[in-house]
Amino acid sequence: MHQLKQYWVAEALEKDLGDPTQPESVMSFKSVMELDEREEFPEKDVEWLYNWNLHHYHIPVEYGGELKSYEEFVAFVRVLSRRDLTTSITFSTLFWSGLVWMAGTHEQKQKLAKFIKDKHGAMCLAYSERAHGSDLVGSDVQATKVPGGYLLNGEKWPINRATISGISVVLAKTDDSGGARSLSLFVVDKSEIDPAGYSNLPKIKTLGIRGSDMSGIRFDNCFVPEEMRLGQEGAGLELGLKGFHLTRTLCAAFSLGSADTALRTVLKFALGRKLYGKTVFDIPHPRTTLVEAFLDILVCDCVTIAGARSFHVAPEQSSVSSIFVKYFVPTAVEKVVQNLSVILGARFYLREGHDEGIFQKVVRDNAIISVFDGSTVVNLHALILQLRQMAKYRAKRNAATYEKLRSRLESRFSLEAPLPPCERAKFELFSRGCDDVLQGLEISLEHLYGLKTDASVDAEVLQKLITLTSTVLEELDAQDEFLASSGFEYGHDQSPESFELAKKYCTLHAAAACVHMWVYNRKILGGFFAKGEWLAICLNRLLMTFRPSSGIIPSIYIENVAQELLKLDRENKMFSIVPLQLAQAQSPEEKTHAASELQLQA
Amino acid sequence: MQLQNSSSKPSEDLSKNHLQDDNMIVENSPAEAIQTWLVTKLSKQLSLNAKTIDVREPLTRYGLDSIDAVTLVGDLEDWLGCELPSTLLWDYPTIEKSAEYLVKEFDVSAAVSPVASSNVKDAGSDKTEKVEASSKSSGWGGLWNRISGS
Ligand SMILES: Cc1cc2nc3c(=O)[nH]c(=O)nc-3n(C[C@H](O)[C@H](O)[C@H](O)COP(=O)(O)OP(=O)(O)OC[C@H]3O[C@@H](n4cnc5c(N)ncnc54)[C@H](O)[C@@H]3O)c2cc1C
């Protein structure tokens, strides 16, 4: 078991699912490819996950579940996603229970916990409409007040799991005059409404996650009792947006799972295929591409883990912490997958062969992550509106705010630091200018200077880290200065340049997250992680977007990363800053034994 | 998450709450000072003539959408020096109502007292506002010197 307890659930799930390259494993590549070809809903796999009690990890401990930390959560979604995004995304509609944990009454919470636990229930999120995707306030679905409840009318589409779920969380208009308080949320339990009041729309054919229940739902004068309304009337938009803070962060786990499979399967190919008398891995270009993919995953890890932990440490920053994750990780992983496809060459396009053709499925499935739960542009836009305030806040930091920041940074990044429970009621629509990660960069820089006297750190690596981190700081200072002296517009007509500024901010944020992660976990994670060469290359890569490479990285660093990549692959460990043990191929005898150990000790 | 922009045009007829002139700001009460601040801010940032802003009309009529209204609260907080509910302008969607609410529920005297009233004229002056290099001089444990020297 990993020394960090929060990774035990992921490791146990991984072990019980088994090695996905072995056809007899649960959700093996072979079986998920067959389901995908038939565009069939992964009913058996979903039921297996319920029987494993994975749904308990979606219910907070206070309501009889096992959900303790979002860091733990992200880790198990990741091991699930490395096998199959169809099942993982299907199972993940349980994320939306977060809205009820955030804003439900005690009764609503108890009821939902029972629904999930005892009935193996699931929900879908019905926000989008044909005519309105990102524009939530434009929603046309109406909830008209009548004695004892509301009459729902209209259609939600395209909705994941709209048909095969017992509850639809529906965003509907309760006030015709429009505006921010015109929407309300309803947790519509299908078993408690008249079936004549709603109908399911036909399955939609999609590029990826083909077996998903992509459909929609239509309401016709459907009576829903008042008890199904979540929060106050008019709270729909506010809750809807705060719910996205949670799920946007969790979406990164889908991307990270995809990335692991993409890299693992291409690495296997590169090591096995011989050309010109050597392996593809021995050719410099593919070798570097593989190493870079690994490094990009490490950066995404730092961003994601920091984002997941921030729900517990700084819930009032959820509006920005979720953007950093949802913008950065899916975009970076899309690029990783694209770069890796070059190495597979013709095979990347084949729906069979190498690892059952799983790579092309990853390409297709992974492409949706940056679109749903708020697309890349929508996230960047939301960041643009807050950038100026973050610059102002940063300029105003003083000794008192700095000390608080120091303590929050430590709890957020030190993976050994226990996480307090997530106080979802503290989520805010804007962060009041706070962004601990970039605003605390000087703190980690100070730590780096402090390490100069530490014999356990290689002096040359440390000097590079100091130089690179100082460059990140310089870029941030310059951007803040620019923001302060440039005009600011409200609304949707933000200039393309401001989108570039927001992207740059996210990139600097990722760099800072990596630095903090190293500073606070050097001793905890040890070995390759502690040496810090990976961090120097990652910072250099991130900065390359704005500063031409200064040739600061010796080629030996890259070679050492290549060796680590090979080692993790050999030992069958996750490509991650927390390289947990992946499932090993088992003999049938061992398998029976494992099945009897399915239930985790609490 | 993207929210709707209002497309309707501000009303042409001026009520008595309209400002008579950009430069003729008359403040009789804290509520009026806040109204003036909001009108000035909106007129600058949405490129509207302040005269056409009616403090009794919903803010969405001036093209300020839901998320903008949240960020505007941040600016109000900076000016008033107190923490406000992020949905303030959702719950009190006109300039008149939000100003009334603020005066009733918060101590706004620091910002809207006559001495501080020059701040009102600064509303919307972000174009010239500089992020101070204060952080560099605040000398956190001599860190800054080392950074600039590295
Ligand atoms: C597989 C799949 C699963 C889905 N699951 C669900 C679900 O479970 N529940 C649900 O409610 N919805 C779901 N959706 C819908 C999805 O959330 C919407 O497609 C998404 O919100 C984007 O909306 P849209 O595609 O209609 O784009 P629109 O909102 O119509 O936007 C069109 C384009 O305008 C531009 N644009 C929009 N906003 C901005 C902005 N602020 N700044 C700059 N440019 C902008 C962008 O280029 C954008 O792509 C799903 C969709 C798919 C494909």
mmCIF file of all heavy atoms in Angstrom, chain A residues 93 96 124-135 157-161 206 209 214 368 371-375 377-378 381 492 499, chain B residues 1-2, ligand 1:
data_model
loop_
_atom_site.group_PDB
_atom_site.id
_atom_site.type_symbol
_atom_site.label_atom_id
_atom_site.label_comp_id
_atom_site.label_asym_id
_atom_site.label_seq_id
_atom_site.Cartn_x
_atom_site.Cartn_y
_atom_site.Cartn_z
ATOM 1 N N THR A 93 -21.879 10.679 -12.941
ATOM 2 C CA THR A 93 -23.013 11.609 -12.797
ATOM 3 C C THR A 93 -23.380 11.702 -11.308
ATOM 4 O O THR A 93 -24.044 12.632 -10.888
ATOM 5 C CB THR A 93 -24.238 11.210 -13.650
ATOM 6 O OG1 THR A 93 -24.651 9.913 -13.280
ATOM 7 C CG2 THR A 93 -23.938 11.290 -15.124
ATOM 8 N N TRP A 96 -22.967 14.876 -9.203
ATOM 9 C CA TRP A 96 -23.978 15.930 -9.069
ATOM 10 C C TRP A 96 -24.720 15.874 -7.748
ATOM 11 O O TRP A 96 -25.436 16.803 -7.398
ATOM 12 C CB TRP A 96 -24.954 15.887 -10.256
ATOM 13 C CG TRP A 96 -24.200 16.185 -11.503
ATOM 14 C CD1 TRP A 96 -23.922 15.339 -12.523
ATOM 15 C CD2 TRP A 96 -23.543 17.420 -11.828
ATOM 16 N NE1 TRP A 96 -23.138 15.953 -13.460
ATOM 17 C CE2 TRP A 96 -22.902 17.232 -13.059
ATOM 18 C CE3 TRP A 96 -23.451 18.662 -11.193
ATOM 19 C CZ2 TRP A 96 -22.159 18.233 -13.672
ATOM 20 C CZ3 TRP A 96 -22.711 19.654 -11.798
ATOM 21 C CH2 TRP A 96 -22.079 19.438 -13.020
ATOM 22 N N CYS A 124 -28.783 12.545 -13.187
ATOM 23 C CA CYS A 124 -28.164 13.243 -14.309
ATOM 24 C C CYS A 124 -28.317 14.730 -14.045
ATOM 25 O O CYS A 124 -29.099 15.138 -13.191
ATOM 26 C CB CYS A 124 -28.828 12.877 -15.633
ATOM 27 S SG CYS A 124 -30.496 13.523 -15.805
ATOM 28 N N LEU A 125 -27.541 15.511 -14.759
ATOM 29 C CA LEU A 125 -27.614 16.959 -14.608
ATOM 30 C C LEU A 125 -28.246 17.533 -15.863
ATOM 31 O O LEU A 125 -27.684 17.411 -16.952
ATOM 32 C CB LEU A 125 -26.223 17.557 -14.448
ATOM 33 C CG LEU A 125 -26.272 19.065 -14.241
ATOM 34 C CD1 LEU A 125 -26.541 19.384 -12.786
ATOM 35 C CD2 LEU A 125 -24.994 19.727 -14.692
ATOM 36 N N ALA A 126 -29.412 18.141 -15.714
ATOM 37 C CA ALA A 126 -30.106 18.643 -16.902
ATOM 38 C C ALA A 126 -30.084 20.172 -16.914
ATOM 39 O O ALA A 126 -30.994 20.820 -16.404
ATOM 40 C CB ALA A 126 -31.531 18.099 -16.931
ATOM 41 N N TYR A 127 -29.019 20.730 -17.475
ATOM 42 C CA TYR A 127 -28.877 22.187 -17.606
ATOM 43 C C TYR A 127 -29.066 22.600 -19.075
ATOM 44 O O TYR A 127 -29.799 23.514 -19.390
ATOM 45 C CB TYR A 127 -27.468 22.643 -17.191
ATOM 46 C CG TYR A 127 -27.180 22.719 -15.710
ATOM 47 C CD1 TYR A 127 -28.087 22.269 -14.754
ATOM 48 C CD2 TYR A 127 -25.964 23.247 -15.254
ATOM 49 C CE1 TYR A 127 -27.786 22.340 -13.396
ATOM 50 C CE2 TYR A 127 -25.666 23.320 -13.901
ATOM 51 C CZ TYR A 127 -26.578 22.865 -12.977
ATOM 52 O OH TYR A 127 -26.269 22.941 -11.646
ATOM 53 N N SER A 128 -28.321 21.919 -19.962
ATOM 54 C CA SER A 128 -28.251 22.355 -21.360
ATOM 55 C C SER A 128 -29.579 22.189 -22.089
ATOM 56 O O SER A 128 -30.358 21.286 -21.786
ATOM 57 C CB SER A 128 -27.202 21.540 -22.114
ATOM 58 O OG SER A 128 -25.938 22.077 -21.898
ATOM 59 N N GLU A 129 -29.784 23.057 -23.058
ATOM 60 C CA GLU A 129 -30.936 22.946 -23.958
ATOM 61 C C GLU A 129 -30.415 23.104 -25.382
ATOM 62 O O GLU A 129 -29.344 23.663 -25.584
ATOM 63 C CB GLU A 129 -31.952 24.052 -23.624
ATOM 64 C CG GLU A 129 -32.494 23.918 -22.214
ATOM 65 C CD GLU A 129 -33.437 25.058 -21.815
ATOM 66 O OE1 GLU A 129 -33.781 25.881 -22.679
ATOM 67 O OE2 GLU A 129 -33.827 25.096 -20.639
ATOM 68 N N ARG A 130 -31.208 22.623 -26.336
ATOM 69 C CA ARG A 130 -30.772 22.728 -27.732
ATOM 70 C C ARG A 130 -30.360 24.151 -28.073
ATOM 71 O O ARG A 130 -29.354 24.393 -28.719
ATOM 72 C CB ARG A 130 -31.893 22.310 -28.672
ATOM 73 C CG ARG A 130 -31.848 20.856 -29.046
ATOM 74 C CD ARG A 130 -33.052 20.488 -29.900
ATOM 75 N NE ARG A 130 -33.656 19.257 -29.410
ATOM 76 C CZ ARG A 130 -33.342 18.046 -29.864
ATOM 77 N NH1 ARG A 130 -32.464 17.910 -30.829
ATOM 78 N NH2 ARG A 130 -33.904 16.972 -29.350
ATOM 79 N N ALA A 131 -31.162 25.099 -27.630
ATOM 80 C CA ALA A 131 -30.923 26.487 -28.018
ATOM 81 C C ALA A 131 -29.935 27.195 -27.093
ATOM 82 O O ALA A 131 -29.490 28.292 -27.389
ATOM 83 C CB ALA A 131 -32.244 27.239 -28.051
ATOM 84 N N HIS A 132 -29.638 26.586 -25.939
ATOM 85 C CA HIS A 132 -28.764 27.268 -24.978
ATOM 86 C C HIS A 132 -27.803 26.270 -24.367
ATOM 87 O O HIS A 132 -28.230 25.377 -23.652
ATOM 88 C CB HIS A 132 -29.571 27.884 -23.831
ATOM 89 C CG HIS A 132 -30.815 28.584 -24.292
ATOM 90 N ND1 HIS A 132 -30.783 29.872 -24.736
ATOM 91 C CD2 HIS A 132 -32.087 28.172 -24.379
ATOM 92 C CE1 HIS A 132 -32.015 30.221 -25.085
ATOM 93 N NE2 HIS A 132 -32.821 29.200 -24.880
ATOM 94 N N GLY A 133 -26.516 26.428 -24.630
ATOM 95 C CA GLY A 133 -25.531 25.564 -23.997
ATOM 96 C C GLY A 133 -24.928 26.290 -22.809
ATOM 97 O O GLY A 133 -25.301 26.099 -21.652
ATOM 98 N N SER A 134 -24.020 27.188 -23.125
ATOM 99 C CA SER A 134 -23.333 27.928 -22.069
ATOM 100 C C SER A 134 -24.226 28.990 -21.422
ATOM 101 O O SER A 134 -24.001 29.389 -20.288
ATOM 102 C CB SER A 134 -22.105 28.610 -22.660
ATOM 103 O OG SER A 134 -21.403 27.719 -23.480
ATOM 104 N N ASP A 135 -25.209 29.441 -22.153
ATOM 105 C CA ASP A 135 -26.042 30.556 -21.689
ATOM 106 C C ASP A 135 -27.160 30.055 -20.772
ATOM 107 O O ASP A 135 -28.299 29.866 -21.193
ATOM 108 C CB ASP A 135 -26.612 31.241 -22.941
ATOM 109 C CG ASP A 135 -27.552 32.384 -22.596
ATOM 110 O OD1 ASP A 135 -27.599 32.779 -21.409
ATOM 111 O OD2 ASP A 135 -28.231 32.875 -23.512
ATOM 112 N N TRP A 157 -31.358 18.908 -23.246
ATOM 113 C CA TRP A 157 -30.640 18.117 -24.250
ATOM 114 C C TRP A 157 -29.314 18.790 -24.565
ATOM 115 O O TRP A 157 -29.324 20.025 -24.636
ATOM 116 C CB TRP A 157 -31.494 18.053 -25.516
ATOM 117 C CG TRP A 157 -30.905 17.302 -26.661
ATOM 118 C CD1 TRP A 157 -31.156 16.008 -27.013
ATOM 119 C CD2 TRP A 157 -29.979 17.811 -27.648
ATOM 120 N NE1 TRP A 157 -30.442 15.678 -28.134
ATOM 121 C CE2 TRP A 157 -29.711 16.763 -28.544
ATOM 122 C CE3 TRP A 157 -29.339 19.033 -27.848
ATOM 123 C CZ2 TRP A 157 -28.832 16.900 -29.635
ATOM 124 C CZ3 TRP A 157 -28.463 19.189 -28.916
ATOM 125 C CH2 TRP A 157 -28.223 18.121 -29.811
ATOM 126 N N PRO A 158 -28.248 18.120 -24.823
ATOM 127 C CA PRO A 158 -27.993 16.685 -24.677
ATOM 128 C C PRO A 158 -27.556 16.402 -23.238
ATOM 129 O O PRO A 158 -26.679 17.088 -22.711
ATOM 130 C CB PRO A 158 -26.823 16.454 -25.631
ATOM 131 C CG PRO A 158 -26.044 17.747 -25.617
ATOM 132 C CD PRO A 158 -27.024 18.843 -25.277
ATOM 133 N N ILE A 159 -28.130 15.393 -22.640
ATOM 134 C CA ILE A 159 -27.869 15.125 -21.231
ATOM 135 C C ILE A 159 -27.340 13.704 -21.052
ATOM 136 O O ILE A 159 -27.976 12.733 -21.485
ATOM 137 C CB ILE A 159 -29.163 15.309 -20.393
ATOM 138 C CG1 ILE A 159 -29.821 16.674 -20.677
ATOM 139 C CG2 ILE A 159 -28.870 15.131 -18.896
ATOM 140 C CD1 ILE A 159 -28.977 17.902 -20.389
ATOM 141 N N ASN A 160 -26.188 13.625 -20.385
ATOM 142 C CA ASN A 160 -25.589 12.324 -20.108
ATOM 143 C C ASN A 160 -26.393 11.610 -19.026
ATOM 144 O O ASN A 160 -26.593 12.147 -17.946
ATOM 145 C CB ASN A 160 -24.139 12.536 -19.647
ATOM 146 C CG ASN A 160 -23.426 11.253 -19.340
ATOM 147 O OD1 ASN A 160 -23.744 10.204 -19.919
ATOM 148 N ND2 ASN A 160 -22.471 11.318 -18.444
ATOM 149 N N ARG A 161 -26.855 10.427 -19.324
ATOM 150 C CA ARG A 161 -27.603 9.578 -18.406
ATOM 151 C C ARG A 161 -28.999 10.120 -18.094
ATOM 152 O O ARG A 161 -29.527 9.902 -17.006
ATOM 153 C CB ARG A 161 -26.816 9.412 -17.096
ATOM 154 C CG ARG A 161 -26.833 7.969 -16.674
ATOM 155 C CD ARG A 161 -26.090 7.664 -15.434
ATOM 156 N NE ARG A 161 -26.436 6.306 -15.087
ATOM 157 C CZ ARG A 161 -25.939 5.644 -14.067
ATOM 158 N NH1 ARG A 161 -25.082 6.219 -13.283
ATOM 159 N NH2 ARG A 161 -26.310 4.429 -13.822
ATOM 160 N N THR A 206 -22.697 9.656 -30.598
ATOM 161 C CA THR A 206 -21.583 10.553 -30.290
ATOM 162 C C THR A 206 -20.281 10.020 -30.874
ATOM 163 O O THR A 206 -20.172 8.829 -31.182
ATOM 164 C CB THR A 206 -21.415 10.683 -28.759
ATOM 165 O OG1 THR A 206 -21.456 9.370 -28.184
ATOM 166 C CG2 THR A 206 -22.507 11.525 -28.150
ATOM 167 N N ILE A 209 -17.225 8.018 -26.126
ATOM 168 C CA ILE A 209 -18.086 7.458 -25.071
ATOM 169 C C ILE A 209 -19.408 6.951 -25.681
ATOM 170 O O ILE A 209 -20.502 7.288 -25.245
ATOM 171 C CB ILE A 209 -18.312 8.435 -23.887
ATOM 172 C CG1 ILE A 209 -18.859 9.794 -24.328
ATOM 173 C CG2 ILE A 209 -17.028 8.653 -23.105
ATOM 174 C CD1 ILE A 209 -19.381 10.648 -23.140
ATOM 175 N N MET A 214 -26.443 8.916 -23.774
ATOM 176 C CA MET A 214 -26.573 10.328 -24.143
ATOM 177 C C MET A 214 -27.975 10.492 -24.700
ATOM 178 O O MET A 214 -28.304 9.898 -25.718
ATOM 179 C CB MET A 214 -25.542 10.716 -25.204
ATOM 180 C CG MET A 214 -24.147 10.923 -24.679
ATOM 181 S SD MET A 214 -24.080 12.206 -23.420
ATOM 182 C CE MET A 214 -24.743 13.594 -24.313
ATOM 183 N N ILE A 368 -14.108 15.035 -25.280
ATOM 184 C CA ILE A 368 -15.290 15.715 -24.749
ATOM 185 C C ILE A 368 -14.995 16.441 -23.425
ATOM 186 O O ILE A 368 -15.701 17.359 -23.025
ATOM 187 C CB ILE A 368 -16.482 14.733 -24.574
ATOM 188 C CG1 ILE A 368 -17.793 15.473 -24.221
ATOM 189 C CG2 ILE A 368 -16.217 13.683 -23.519
ATOM 190 C CD1 ILE A 368 -18.254 16.478 -25.222
ATOM 191 N N VAL A 371 -14.978 20.104 -23.159
ATOM 192 C CA VAL A 371 -16.217 20.775 -23.591
ATOM 193 C C VAL A 371 -17.271 20.811 -22.487
ATOM 194 O O VAL A 371 -17.870 21.863 -22.228
ATOM 195 C CB VAL A 371 -16.814 20.071 -24.840
ATOM 196 C CG1 VAL A 371 -18.139 20.718 -25.233
ATOM 197 C CG2 VAL A 371 -15.839 20.123 -26.003
ATOM 198 N N PHE A 372 -17.491 19.667 -21.841
ATOM 199 C CA PHE A 372 -18.623 19.683 -20.891
ATOM 200 C C PHE A 372 -18.250 20.279 -19.535
ATOM 201 O O PHE A 372 -17.090 20.532 -19.259
ATOM 202 C CB PHE A 372 -19.307 18.320 -20.774
ATOM 203 C CG PHE A 372 -18.489 17.133 -20.315
ATOM 204 C CD1 PHE A 372 -17.427 17.273 -19.450
ATOM 205 C CD2 PHE A 372 -18.827 15.855 -20.744
ATOM 206 C CE1 PHE A 372 -16.718 16.169 -19.014
ATOM 207 C CE2 PHE A 372 -18.119 14.738 -20.312
ATOM 208 C CZ PHE A 372 -17.064 14.906 -19.452
ATOM 209 N N ASP A 373 -19.248 20.553 -18.745
ATOM 210 C CA ASP A 373 -19.081 21.210 -17.438
ATOM 211 C C ASP A 373 -18.417 22.583 -17.557
ATOM 212 O O ASP A 373 -17.728 23.042 -16.653
ATOM 213 C CB ASP A 373 -18.258 20.339 -16.471
ATOM 214 C CG ASP A 373 -19.082 19.186 -15.928
ATOM 215 O OD1 ASP A 373 -20.046 18.806 -16.592
ATOM 216 O OD2 ASP A 373 -18.769 18.690 -14.843
ATOM 217 N N GLY A 374 -18.620 23.225 -18.682
ATOM 218 C CA GLY A 374 -18.006 24.539 -18.902
ATOM 219 C C GLY A 374 -16.817 24.356 -19.814
ATOM 220 O O GLY A 374 -15.815 23.757 -19.432
ATOM 221 N N SER A 375 -16.954 24.854 -21.045
ATOM 222 C CA SER A 375 -15.901 24.623 -22.032
ATOM 223 C C SER A 375 -14.666 25.460 -21.705
ATOM 224 O O SER A 375 -14.692 26.318 -20.826
ATOM 225 C CB SER A 375 -16.412 24.991 -23.416
ATOM 226 O OG SER A 375 -16.646 26.384 -23.448
ATOM 227 N N VAL A 377 -13.288 27.903 -23.351
ATOM 228 C CA VAL A 377 -13.480 29.365 -23.476
ATOM 229 C C VAL A 377 -14.320 29.918 -22.335
ATOM 230 O O VAL A 377 -14.069 31.023 -21.850
ATOM 231 C CB VAL A 377 -14.119 29.805 -24.824
ATOM 232 C CG1 VAL A 377 -13.107 29.800 -25.928
ATOM 233 C CG2 VAL A 377 -15.356 29.031 -25.174
ATOM 234 N N VAL A 378 -15.305 29.158 -21.920
ATOM 235 C CA VAL A 378 -16.166 29.631 -20.839
ATOM 236 C C VAL A 378 -15.353 29.784 -19.546
ATOM 237 O O VAL A 378 -15.492 30.771 -18.813
ATOM 238 C CB VAL A 378 -17.349 28.654 -20.652
ATOM 239 C CG1 VAL A 378 -18.023 28.838 -19.306
ATOM 240 C CG2 VAL A 378 -18.358 28.835 -21.784
ATOM 241 N N HIS A 381 -13.079 32.786 -19.913
ATOM 242 C CA HIS A 381 -13.858 34.017 -19.786
ATOM 243 C C HIS A 381 -14.134 34.340 -18.316
ATOM 244 O O HIS A 381 -13.973 35.472 -17.867
ATOM 245 C CB HIS A 381 -15.163 33.881 -20.577
ATOM 246 C CG HIS A 381 -16.053 35.069 -20.448
ATOM 247 N ND1 HIS A 381 -17.387 34.973 -20.157
ATOM 248 C CD2 HIS A 381 -15.788 36.389 -20.509
ATOM 249 C CE1 HIS A 381 -17.902 36.192 -20.072
ATOM 250 N NE2 HIS A 381 -16.957 37.060 -20.272
ATOM 251 N N HIS A 492 -19.424 39.733 -22.545
ATOM 252 C CA HIS A 492 -18.925 38.602 -23.320
ATOM 253 C C HIS A 492 -18.045 38.992 -24.475
ATOM 254 O O HIS A 492 -17.517 38.132 -25.157
ATOM 255 C CB HIS A 492 -20.110 37.782 -23.835
ATOM 256 C CG HIS A 492 -20.804 37.070 -22.737
ATOM 257 N ND1 HIS A 492 -22.010 37.466 -22.250
ATOM 258 C CD2 HIS A 492 -20.415 36.028 -21.985
ATOM 259 C CE1 HIS A 492 -22.355 36.686 -21.251
ATOM 260 N NE2 HIS A 492 -21.409 35.806 -21.070
ATOM 261 N N PHE A 499 -8.086 36.621 -23.697
ATOM 262 C CA PHE A 499 -8.074 35.160 -23.538
ATOM 263 C C PHE A 499 -6.625 34.657 -23.447
ATOM 264 O O PHE A 499 -6.323 33.727 -22.699
ATOM 265 C CB PHE A 499 -8.811 34.480 -24.703
ATOM 266 C CG PHE A 499 -10.305 34.480 -24.505
ATOM 267 C CD1 PHE A 499 -11.075 35.579 -24.855
ATOM 268 C CD2 PHE A 499 -10.938 33.391 -23.937
ATOM 269 C CE1 PHE A 499 -12.443 35.604 -24.644
ATOM 270 C CE2 PHE A 499 -12.311 33.394 -23.720
ATOM 271 C CZ PHE A 499 -13.070 34.506 -24.069
ATOM 272 N N MET B 1 -19.298 29.592 -17.147
ATOM 273 C CA MET B 1 -20.706 29.505 -17.451
ATOM 274 C C MET B 1 -21.172 30.824 -17.973
ATOM 275 O O MET B 1 -20.922 31.849 -17.381
ATOM 276 C CB MET B 1 -21.412 29.201 -16.152
ATOM 277 C CG MET B 1 -22.814 28.842 -16.336
ATOM 278 S SD MET B 1 -23.086 27.850 -17.779
ATOM 279 C CE MET B 1 -21.633 26.916 -17.912
ATOM 280 N N GLN B 2 -21.805 30.790 -19.058
ATOM 281 C CA GLN B 2 -22.128 32.050 -19.684
ATOM 282 C C GLN B 2 -23.560 32.427 -19.553
ATOM 283 O O GLN B 2 -24.465 31.646 -19.699
ATOM 284 C CB GLN B 2 -21.739 31.998 -21.162
ATOM 285 C CG GLN B 2 -20.282 32.203 -21.259
ATOM 286 C CD GLN B 2 -19.664 32.546 -19.932
ATOM 287 O OE1 GLN B 2 -18.735 31.958 -19.590
ATOM 288 N NE2 GLN B 2 -20.119 33.433 -19.131
HETATM 289 C C1 LIG C 1 -21.059 14.085 -24.660
HETATM 290 C C2 LIG C 1 -21.750 15.262 -24.068
HETATM 291 C C3 LIG C 1 -22.235 15.186 -22.776
HETATM 292 C C4 LIG C 1 -22.927 16.259 -22.224
HETATM 293 N N1 LIG C 1 -23.465 16.112 -20.979
HETATM 294 C C5 LIG C 1 -24.240 17.098 -20.484
HETATM 295 C C6 LIG C 1 -24.940 16.902 -19.265
HETATM 296 O O1 LIG C 1 -24.842 15.858 -18.636
HETATM 297 N N2 LIG C 1 -25.704 17.907 -18.798
HETATM 298 C C7 LIG C 1 -25.831 19.096 -19.462
HETATM 299 O O2 LIG C 1 -26.520 19.973 -18.980
HETATM 300 N N3 LIG C 1 -25.186 19.302 -20.631
HETATM 301 C C8 LIG C 1 -24.404 18.327 -21.168
HETATM 302 N N4 LIG C 1 -23.777 18.513 -22.370
HETATM 303 C C9 LIG C 1 -23.904 19.795 -23.059
HETATM 304 C C10 LIG C 1 -22.653 20.630 -22.887
HETATM 305 O O3 LIG C 1 -22.504 20.998 -21.548
HETATM 306 C C11 LIG C 1 -22.773 21.860 -23.778
HETATM 307 O O4 LIG C 1 -22.545 21.370 -25.061
HETATM 308 C C12 LIG C 1 -21.768 22.921 -23.388
HETATM 309 O O5 LIG C 1 -22.241 23.573 -22.260
HETATM 310 C C13 LIG C 1 -21.494 23.926 -24.481
HETATM 311 O O6 LIG C 1 -22.647 24.396 -25.025
HETATM 312 P P1 LIG C 1 -22.821 24.472 -26.624
HETATM 313 O O7 LIG C 1 -22.079 23.391 -27.254
HETATM 314 O O8 LIG C 1 -24.262 24.589 -26.901
HETATM 315 O O9 LIG C 1 -22.050 25.801 -27.014
HETATM 316 P P2 LIG C 1 -22.603 27.272 -26.972
HETATM 317 O O10 LIG C 1 -22.898 27.692 -25.597
HETATM 318 O O11 LIG C 1 -23.708 27.395 -27.984
HETATM 319 O O12 LIG C 1 -21.348 28.072 -27.495
HETATM 320 C C14 LIG C 1 -20.932 28.018 -28.884
HETATM 321 C C15 LIG C 1 -19.561 28.607 -29.019
HETATM 322 O O13 LIG C 1 -19.571 30.008 -28.696
HETATM 323 C C16 LIG C 1 -18.350 30.374 -28.110
HETATM 324 N N5 LIG C 1 -18.555 30.865 -26.744
HETATM 325 C C17 LIG C 1 -19.549 30.520 -25.877
HETATM 326 N N6 LIG C 1 -19.401 31.176 -24.705
HETATM 327 C C18 LIG C 1 -18.305 31.949 -24.827
HETATM 328 C C19 LIG C 1 -17.629 32.864 -23.976
HETATM 329 N N7 LIG C 1 -18.049 33.118 -22.740
HETATM 330 N N8 LIG C 1 -16.524 33.475 -24.422
HETATM 331 C C20 LIG C 1 -16.066 33.233 -25.668
HETATM 332 N N9 LIG C 1 -16.657 32.378 -26.519
HETATM 333 C C21 LIG C 1 -17.760 31.748 -26.119
HETATM 334 C C22 LIG C 1 -17.498 29.125 -28.072
HETATM 335 O O14 LIG C 1 -16.682 29.019 -29.186
HETATM 336 C C23 LIG C 1 -18.541 28.032 -28.047
HETATM 337 O O15 LIG C 1 -18.047 26.793 -28.373
HETATM 338 C C24 LIG C 1 -23.084 17.460 -22.956
HETATM 339 C C25 LIG C 1 -22.558 17.545 -24.241
HETATM 340 C C26 LIG C 1 -21.914 16.463 -24.813
HETATM 341 C C27 LIG C 1 -21.414 16.583 -26.206
#
